[in-house]
């Protein structure tokens, strides 16, 4: 099947490349065509996907039209001789008319140069609010979230912006799920950081974000990693020569502080940018844990109260240089240095009852501290050269990253009385430490060729090189000698190599008769994985090549409606901690060990999406999707012979999900807007774990309601409600989750200063109840109560309409859970 699909894709690529450009050129030769560039009249920024229609001057009938490209470029072919006018339409902008466009026998090619359009003012009696883009827009291979629609853009992070999107779920610990999956890739301006997930999003100030792209079915030009797709954070750019800057600061309840500053200067082809960022946060979390186990040797009941306090402090600084060597050649260089300190404490009071009902009862208190200190340095070099301007381009990019990440976890387990007050004088004390050294490299060479304004071929090669060195040491304090004894059961060393070698091809064009923009792609990736377990003296290797086809299509039905279709194949490779066959953690309740035989997950995904912009300002969209995953990597929980839970990983699940997301933006009144959304989906999974078959099918749903009240053009109040229905896991389920937050945003001094006050987890919302069956006869119940409420006040000041000048972004992300 793979070979057949591969041949079909190649045939389509070859046939379309050879035939279609030729036919389009014939059309251009026979009739006239119109070229132009559409830009924002105030910022001079290009407008992508602005709708332009051509009308006869005599009767206003439409004879053709098209949408602008990524740089605002426009081509409308197949226009007969005659006199016309153009109508330019774009959401949030005035309709613009261009008169006196004539196509004659002697002048078939019309170039209108730059067409500038103005933002739309919406008159609300005494209130004058500038028209806004919709909260979400479609592109050929992505959906774009416009950050300006959310109050959190004033002083939060990219994670805060995403938490209000229906496709995104953020749990009480800040972990992010994209359509129910944590297997996604985070990019910043198309480039990955050191690690992924919520840590990447927490370090990006929302004020520096222009938009966020949800690429749930990425084309072949993107890395295939991440089953659920890609979250690409696009930062602001500058088009005019000036000096600009932005300063943000904030304070929140229970020791939460943040501050960052960026300064950009651009003149005569030279751009210099610099930034500094400091953030300090602490979070509390309380849990109730109940476990009931029946084994061949004993019956157990464990009841525990858990209190957690974790903090994160990070600092980073960046310096960037962009230089235009010539009108066709550019150079960018960025260097970043940062430090991240993640740590906290964990207190567990437990009651253990064994051999029920005639139980023996033990009371214990476990104190645990965690400290992870990471230092990183990253450089990015980017070169681009156009052999023929606006026709073909060669880009080269190289990235080097070095991270040192020592970690220490110390736990002390005391025997206590029934009130957890009188503790034993000699607790069972262990020290888990790990010195991690990481080096990553990325080399990328891409070439693109535009046959014409609608037909484009892209190809490229890429090498992702990753090397890790781990040195785990476990020590137990000896109260007889007052020294630490090394415990060989958990002390081990291993090296890990994970290199990915890739090549891709994509071809974009347009079926003129059907009015469909499309893109076909094929990517090949070879995985070269080697885990060298030095302590065991064994190597575990994996070497395999996979093919990843992609199809994307976009149909504009009219000026307000569009359809989007996409297909992609994705891969999720296991991380090194899940592969290490050596036990890496243990206490009286849990035992953690990796599985070196893990295979990558492979996911196939289909989407069909629809969006409509009604004349009364209502935006409607529906996204339908189907996703199936083989070799699903699942964390497993089984009861060992000693009664402890053994946590590991396995390819034990086949997973599917089919669903629909409905979103809308409704102007109820000139001063009040509702943005509702609901996600309905059917999910199922099946697997076999230790001879036990697991299978579940369930209908799930989640919803979001954002309400915005405009008190004035510069004052808005916003309420966000989020609800996530019951979720199914391989060995259990998660009860419904409800979140409630509110914010007030005030703009001052012509929007140069923005003040935002917000509160999250109002009314103690965000509680989570989890059930898991860790094998036959074992049930686990966990109740999680996150910190509530959380208050924040943020201030943001910018001058000269701050935009980020750099062509590259070097955001480095540290995973606080790596290695444990």
């Amino acid at each position: 099947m793979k070979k057949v699909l591969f041949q079909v894709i190649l045939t389509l690529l070859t046939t379309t490349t050879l035939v279609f450009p030729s036919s389009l050129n014939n059309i251009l030769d026979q009739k006239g065509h119109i070229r132009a560039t559409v830009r924002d009249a105030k910022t001079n920024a290009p407008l992508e996907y602005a709708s332009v229609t051509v009308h006869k001057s005599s009767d206003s009938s439409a004879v053709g039209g098209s949408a602008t490209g990524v740089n605002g470029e426009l081509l409308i072919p197949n226009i007969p001789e005659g006199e016309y006018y153009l109508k330019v339409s774009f959401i949030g902008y005035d309709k613009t008319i261009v008169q006196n466009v004539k196509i004659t026998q002697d002048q078939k090619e019309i170039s209108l140069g730059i067409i500038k359009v103005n933002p739309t003012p919406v008159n609300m009696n005494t209130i004058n609010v500038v028209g806004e883009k919709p909260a979400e827009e479609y592109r050929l291979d992505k959906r774009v979230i416009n950050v300006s629609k959310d109050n959190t853009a004033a002083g939060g992070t990219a994670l805060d912006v995403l938490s209000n999107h229906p496709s995104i779920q953020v749990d009480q610990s800040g972990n992010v799920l994209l359509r129910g999956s944590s297997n996604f890739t985070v990019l910043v301006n198309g480039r990955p950081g050191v690690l992924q997930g919520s840590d990447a999003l927490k370090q990006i100030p929302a004020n520096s974000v222009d938009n966020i792209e949800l690429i749930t079915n990425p084309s072949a030009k993107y890395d295939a990693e991440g089953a659920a797709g890609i979250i690409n954070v696009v930062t602001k750019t500058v088009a005019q020569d000036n000096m600009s800057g932005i300063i943000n600061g904030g304070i929140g309840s229970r020791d939460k502080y943040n501050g960052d500053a960026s300064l950009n200067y651009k003149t005569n082809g030279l751009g210099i940018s610099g930034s500094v960022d400091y953030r300090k946060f602490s979070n509390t979390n309380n849990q109730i844990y109940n476990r009931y186990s029946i084994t061949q040797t004993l019956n157990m009941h464990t009841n525990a109260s858990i209190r957690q306090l974790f903090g994160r402090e990070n600092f980073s600084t960046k310096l960037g240089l962009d230089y235009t060597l010539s009108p066709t050649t550019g150079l960018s260089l960025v260097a970043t240095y940062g430090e991240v300190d993640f740590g906290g404490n964990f207190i567990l009071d437990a009651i253990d009852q064994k051999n029920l009902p005639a139980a023996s009862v033990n009371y214990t208190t476990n104190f645990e501290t965690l400290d992870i200190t990471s230092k990183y340095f990253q450089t990015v070099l980017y070169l681009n050269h156009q052999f023929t301007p606006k026709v073909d381009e060669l880009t080269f990019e190289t990235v080097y990253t070095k991270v040192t990440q020592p970690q220490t976890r110390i736990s002390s387990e005391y025997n206590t009385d029934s009130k957890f007050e009188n503790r034993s004088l000699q607790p069972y004390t262990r020290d888990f430490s790990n010195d991690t050294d990481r080096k990553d490299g990325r080399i990328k060479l891409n070439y693109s060729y535009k046959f014409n304004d609608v037909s484009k071929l892209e190809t490229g090669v890429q090498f992702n090189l990753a090397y890790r060195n781990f040195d785990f040491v476990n020590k137990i304090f000896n109260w007889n000698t007052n020294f630490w004894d090394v415990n060989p059961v958990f002390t081990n060393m291993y090296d890990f190599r994970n290199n990915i070698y890739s090549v891709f091809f994509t071809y974009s064009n347009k079926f003129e008769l059907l009015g469909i923009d499309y893109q076909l792609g094929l990517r090949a990736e070879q995985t070269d994985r080697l885990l060298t377990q030095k302590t065991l003296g064994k190597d575990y290797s994996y070497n395999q090549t996979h093919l990843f086809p992609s199809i994307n299509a976009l149909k504009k039905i009219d000026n307000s409606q569009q359809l989007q279709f996409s297909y992609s194949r994705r891969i999720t490779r296991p991380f090194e901690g899940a592969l290490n066959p050596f036990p890496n953690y243990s206490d009286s309740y849990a035992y953690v060990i990796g599985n070196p035989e893990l295979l990558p997950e492979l996911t196939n995904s289909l989407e069909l999406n629809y969006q409509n912009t009604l004349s009364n300002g209502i935006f409607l969209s529906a996204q339908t999707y189907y996703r199936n995953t083989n070799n699903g990597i699942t964390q497993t929980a089984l009861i060992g012979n000693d009664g402890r839970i053994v946590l590991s990983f396995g390819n034990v699940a086949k997973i599917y999900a089919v669903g629909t997301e409905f979103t809308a933006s409704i102007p109820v009144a000139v001063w009040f807007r509702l943005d509702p959304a609901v996600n309905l989906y059917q999910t199922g999974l099946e697997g076999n774990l230790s001879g036990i078959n697991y299978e579940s099918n369930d209908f799930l749903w989640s919803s979001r309601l954002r309400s915005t009240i405009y008190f004035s053009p510069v004052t808005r109040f916003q309420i966000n409600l989020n609800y996530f229905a019951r979720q199914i896991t391989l060995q259990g389920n998660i009860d419904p989750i409800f979140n409630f937050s509110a914010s007030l945003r005030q703009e001052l001094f012509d929007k140069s200063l923005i003040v935002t006050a917000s509160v999250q987890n109002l009314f103690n919302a965000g509680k989570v109840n989890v059930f898991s069956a860790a094998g036959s006869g074992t049930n686990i119940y966990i109740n999680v109560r996150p910190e509530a409420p959380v208050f924040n006040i943020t201030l943001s000041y910018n001058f000269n309409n701050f935009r980020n000048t750099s062509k590259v972004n070097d955001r480095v992300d540290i995973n606080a859970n790596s290695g444990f």
Side-chain angles (χ1 to χ4, degrees):
M1 183 64 186
K2 291 180 181 178
K3 292 182 178 180
V4 173
L5 183 59
F6 180 57
Q7 292 172 354
V8 170
I9 295 295
L10 287 182
T11 302
L12 288 172
L13 285 170
T14 305
T15 304
T16 312
T17 304
L18 294 177
V19 176
F20 207 80
S22 176
S23 63
L24 182 58
N25 287 331
N26 290 336
I27 292 174
L28 293 177
D29 290 339
Q30 293 171 3
K31 295 185 179 181
H33 55 281
I34 301 170
R35 299 178 186 271
T37 300
V38 179
R39 292 182 175 272
D40 186 300
K42 292 187 175 181
T43 66
N44 202 38
L47 297 182
E48 183 183 7
Y49 278 91
S51 176
V52 183
T53 54
V54 181
H55 302 264
K56 289 183 179 180
S57 297
S58 57
D59 58 7
S60 297
S61 61
V63 297
S66 184
T68 56
V70 66
N71 295 314
E73 69 275 11
L74 171 71
L75 170 66
I76 305 178
N78 201 23
I79 305 298
E81 294 180 21
E83 296 185 9
Y84 305 96
Y85 68 87
L86 269 63
K87 183 187 295 184
V88 183
S89 304
F90 193 61
I91 298 168
Y93 288 81
D94 286 336
K95 289 185 179 179
T96 302
I97 304 297
V98 180
Q99 300 281 5
N100 301 322
V101 179
K102 297 181 181 181
I103 292 179
T104 65
Q105 182 66 29
D106 298 329
Q107 190 175 10
K108 293 183 178 180
E109 180 173 347
I110 304 298
S111 179
L112 300 177
I114 296 176
I115 302 173
K116 294 190 175 183
V117 295
N118 292 298
T120 303
V122 181
N123 193 6
M124 305 192 323
N125 297 327
T126 59
I127 299 177
N128 183 38
V129 178
V130 174
E132 295 179 326
K133 296 180 182 180
E136 182 175 297
E137 299 176 86
Y138 286 175
R139 299 291 187 265
L140 178 60
D141 60 348
K142 68 193 72 171
R143 289 179 291 151
V144 179
I145 302 172
N146 291 309
V147 173
S148 62
K149 295 288 289 182
D150 199 311
N151 277 5
T152 54
T157 66
L159 179 63
D160 298 317
V161 176
L162 284 170
S163 64
N164 291 318
H165 193 275
S167 297
I168 301 296
Q169 179 182 350
V170 182
D171 67 15
Q172 70 284 349
S173 300
N175 300 310
V176 180
L177 300 178
L178 175 58
R179 283 184 176 165
S181 174
S182 60
N183 296 326
F184 61 88
T185 301
V186 175
L187 304 178
V188 181
N189 293 334
R191 295 165 180 86
V194 177
L195 289 175
Q196 295 297 310
S198 58
D199 276 333
L201 300 169
K202 288 175 182 176
Q203 293 193 52
I204 307 173
N207 284 302
S208 69
V209 177
D210 185 40
N211 60 69
I212 298 177
E213 299 174 347
L214 294 184
I215 314 174
T216 47
N217 265 351
S219 67
K221 69 180 179 181
Y222 294 100
D223 291 0
E225 183 71 32
I230 295 171
I231 297 175
N232 183 34
V233 181
V234 180
T235 58
K236 297 174 180 176
T237 58
V238 67
Q240 298 174 332
D241 290 353
N242 67 1
M243 176 177 285
S244 61
I246 189 169
I247 301 173
N248 304 301
I251 185 171
S253 56
R254 303 177 186 89
D255 295 325
K256 295 177 178 62
Y257 311 95
N258 69 280
D260 62 88
S262 298
L263 182 67
N264 297 320
Y265 176 72
K266 185 176 182 181
T267 180
N268 298 324
L270 174 65
I272 301 174
S273 62
S275 66
V276 61
D277 182 273
Y278 175 79
R279 294 174 183 272
K280 182 178 181 180
F281 296 95
S282 64
N283 291 282
T284 62
N285 188 302
N286 295 320
Q287 300 181 24
I288 301 297
Y289 174 93
N290 275 284
R291 188 183 86 188
Y292 301 87
S293 300
I294 301 175
T295 68
Q296 294 180 349
T297 58
L298 54 85
N299 298 337
M300 293 181 59
H301 172 216
T302 298
N303 176 271
S305 172
I306 303 170
R307 302 179 299 282
Q308 299 182 66
L309 173 62
F310 286 102
R312 178 189 179 97
E313 185 175 14
N314 60 271
F315 166 81
S316 66
T317 182
K318 178 182 72 174
L319 181 63
L321 173 69
D322 289 272
Y323 185 63
T324 302
L325 302 173
S326 72
T328 59
T329 306
L331 165 71
S332 293
L333 180 64
V334 176
T336 302
Y337 173 80
E339 298 181 8
V340 178
D341 189 8
F342 178 85
N345 59 65
F346 170 101
I347 303 173
L348 182 148
D349 293 329
I351 304 173
D352 289 320
Q353 296 176 281
K354 298 182 179 180
N355 297 322
L356 300 173
S360 61
V361 181
N362 292 323
Y363 300 91
T364 58
T365 294
N366 187 38
F367 289 90
E368 187 170 292
T369 59
L370 172 66
D371 182 65
I372 303 174
T373 301
S374 301
K375 297 181 179 180
Y376 59 85
F377 174 75
Q378 184 182 76
T379 59
V380 182
L381 174 65
Y382 178 85
L383 292 166
N384 69 294
H385 175 72
Q386 299 181 57
F387 297 97
T388 303
K390 298 184 179 181
V391 175
D392 59 345
E393 183 179 30
L394 183 70
T395 62
F396 171 78
E397 178 185 273
T398 179
V399 182
Y400 172 75
T401 306
K402 178 178 173 58
V403 180
T404 58
Q405 191 172 338
Q407 308 175 37
T408 301
R409 175 178 288 186
I410 298 176
S411 66
S412 297
E413 188 173 321
Y414 297 83
N415 292 319
T416 73
D417 57 16
S418 59
K419 296 182 179 180
F420 303 103
E421 294 177 351
N422 297 313
R423 306 185 184 99
S424 56
L425 298 179
Q426 297 181 345
Y428 181 47
T429 303
R430 287 160 294 179
D431 182 342
F432 291 87
S433 64
N434 170 32
D435 283 331
T436 302
D437 184 60
R438 318 178 57 178
K439 298 182 181 68
D440 294 291
R442 173 185 170 103
I443 302 172
K444 186 176 181 179
L445 184 67
N446 281 8
Y447 174 76
S448 64
Y449 185 87
K450 295 182 69 173
F451 298 98
N452 49 59
D453 283 357
V454 296
S455 178
K456 183 179 181 180
L457 175 68
E458 291 184 82
T459 184
V461 295
Q462 182 174 310
F463 304 97
N464 289 347
L465 310 175
Y467 298 91
R468 312 279 191 267
N469 305 109
F470 296 91
D471 184 3
F472 287 92
V473 179
N474 175 224
K475 295 179 289 187
I476 302 175
F477 191 77
N478 189 326
W479 290 97
N480 293 324
T481 63
N482 286 329
F483 287 101
W484 291 95
D485 296 333
V486 175
N487 181 8
V489 175
F490 297 98
T491 298
N492 69 105
M493 298 176 63
Y494 72 94
D495 295 337
F496 183 70
R497 180 186 75 211
N498 193 38
N499 295 342
I500 313 297
Y501 312 107
S502 310
V503 60
F504 81 90
F505 301 89
T506 64
Y507 177 72
S508 305
N509 210 323
K510 184 172 185 175
F511 290 113
E512 292 291 346
L513 295 178
L514 300 177
I516 297 177
D517 296 298
Y518 68 89
Q519 183 186 80
L520 306 176
L522 183 65
R523 187 181 188 90
E525 290 190 354
Q526 180 188 5
T527 303
D528 176 21
R529 184 181 88 193
L530 176 65
L531 189 150
T532 301
Q533 180 38 261
K534 294 183 176 181
T535 304
L536 296 178
K538 296 181 67 175
D539 289 346
Y540 302 89
S541 63
Y542 178 86
N543 199 302
Q544 185 69 44
T545 300
H546 296 93
L547 296 179
F548 304 95
S550 66
I551 302 173
N552 297 91
L554 183 69
K555 164 67 176 177
K556 281 187 172 290
I557 302 173
D558 53 33
N559 288 338
S560 61
Q561 300 181 82
Q562 52 186 346
L563 283 171
Q564 180 194 64
F565 170 79
S566 60
Y567 163 78
S568 71
R569 191 169 189 249
R570 308 287 296 164
I571 189 171
T572 300
R573 300 175 176 91
F575 73 99
E576 58 270 15
L579 294 166
N580 183 21
F582 218 92
N584 56 61
Y585 181 75
S586 174
D587 58 24
S588 297
Y589 307 97
Y591 178 89
V592 184
I593 187 171
N595 176 8
E597 305 301 327
L598 283 178
L599 301 174
E601 290 184 350
L602 293 172
T603 299
N604 292 286
S605 178
L606 287 164
E607 288 192 24
L608 179 61
N609 304 325
Y610 169 79
Q611 187 179 53
N612 191 357
T613 304
L614 304 181
S615 59
N616 55 3
I618 297 177
F619 306 110
L620 302 173
S621 70
Q623 300 97 36
T624 60
Y625 57 92
Y626 171 77
R627 187 173 68 221
N628 71 72
T629 300
N630 293 316
N631 299 331
I633 300 175
T634 304
Q635 186 178 56
T636 60
L638 297 172
I639 297 297
N641 294 330
D642 58 359
R644 288 185 298 175
I645 298 176
V646 180
L647 298 174
S648 190
F649 301 86
N651 297 110
V652 298
K654 293 182 178 180
I655 307 167
Y656 82 89
V658 56
T660 300
E661 290 180 14
F662 296 99
T663 60
S665 184
I666 305 170
V668 179
V670 291
W671 52 269
F672 182 45
R673 177 177 288 274
L674 289 175
D675 295 290
V678 62
N679 184 9
L680 312 172
Y681 59 103
Q682 179 79 22
T683 183
L685 56 84
E686 61 181 40
N688 184 286
L689 181 60
S690 297
I692 301 175
N693 291 321
Y694 294 89
E695 183 175 358
S696 66
N697 292 276
D698 204 2
F699 174 79
L700 303 174
W701 66 281
S702 61
S703 63
R704 181 213 69 194
L705 178 62
R706 180 169 61 200
S707 305
T708 306
I709 300 174
Y710 297 90
F711 294 110
S712 76
V714 295
T715 307
R716 69 174 70 168
F717 177 71
Q718 199 168 86
I719 295 176
N720 288 291
L721 304 174
N722 290 277
Y723 178 83
F724 300 94
R726 183 172 175 266
Q727 304 166 62
I728 302 298
T729 64
L730 180 68
Q731 294 179 265
N733 57 71
I734 303 173
D735 283 352
I737 304 172
F738 173 73
N739 286 314
F740 179 86
S741 62
S743 60
L744 178 66
R745 168 178 165 138
Q746 178 67 50
E747 299 172 354
L748 304 168
F749 307 117
D750 195 23
K751 297 186 179 181
S752 294
L753 178 64
I754 301 175
V755 182
T756 303
S758 64
V759 57
Q760 299 173 342
N761 282 344
L762 269 174
F763 310 120
N764 203 25
K767 294 181 180 179
V768 182
N769 294 309
V770 181
F771 165 75
S772 177
S776 178
T778 298
N779 294 325
I780 300 173
Y781 301 88
I782 302 175
N783 172 264
V784 182
R785 292 166 293 168
E787 180 180 325
V790 178
F791 298 94
N792 284 282
I793 296 178
T794 59
L795 291 89
S796 176
Y797 175 76
N798 77 82
F799 61 90
N800 288 345
N801 193 23
F802 164 78
R803 295 290 189 272
N804 183 17
T805 63
S806 180
K807 298 176 184 176
V808 300
N809 192 291
D810 61 313
R811 189 67 59 175
V812 177
D813 310 304
I814 304 300
N815 186 344
N817 297 316
S818 176
F820 285 107

